[in-house]
Amino acid sequence: MSMSTADDRAGASEETLSETEYRDRLRELPPSAKLVAKVLESDSPLSQGQLAEESLLPDRTVRYALNRLEDVDLVDSRYSFRDARKQVYYLKI
């Protein structure tokens, strides 16, 4: 089981998106997801609350946008170093 996890991590770290691939994946998403991606391009990593504040979108809309970005493998999350109760999000490009 640990071998597959190591393999998964190795494959994920090798995958980098080209600008064209990034744009193609983003093109089909709703405007809220595009805005959240743009905010993450300029300032990353950010928590869901910080994304809502920066984008001026409601928390629920930001959560939906993050889910859509995760579905197309454009964003990833990790626990915050400042507050382990929170997750922060960043683009995979």
Side-chain angles (χ1 to χ4, degrees):
M1 187 162 153
S2 63
M3 286 182 59
S4 65
T5 305
D7 291 343
D8 291 344
R9 276 189 241 136
S13 64
E14 292 174 7
E15 180 185 345
T16 57
L17 294 176
S18 67
E19 183 70 23
T20 305
E21 178 67 23
Y22 172 71
R23 287 180 161 287
D24 287 343
R25 290 185 188 186
L26 201 57
R27 185 171 285 121
E28 302 301 320
L29 296 177
S32 60
K34 292 174 184 173
L35 177 58
V36 167
K38 195 65 172 169
V39 170
L40 285 173
E41 278 180 13
S42 65
D43 193 14
S44 179
L46 294 173
S47 69
Q48 182 180 340
Q50 290 169 320
L51 282 166
E53 191 174 304
E54 292 294 320
S55 65
L56 302 177
L57 294 171
D59 287 338
R60 186 173 178 175
T61 303
V62 170
R63 181 74 242 152
Y64 173 76
L66 288 169
N67 285 334
R68 295 298 305 269
L69 289 165
E70 287 174 341
D71 289 345
V72 295
D73 206 29
L74 288 178
V75 73
D76 205 1
S77 65
R78 63 170 169 76
Y79 288 103
S80 172
F81 295 129
R82 292 185 179 155
D83 186 351
R85 297 172 295 176
K86 294 182 180 181
Q87 289 191 338
V88 291
Y89 299 88
Y90 57 92
L91 291 176
K92 287 187 167 184
I93 58 169

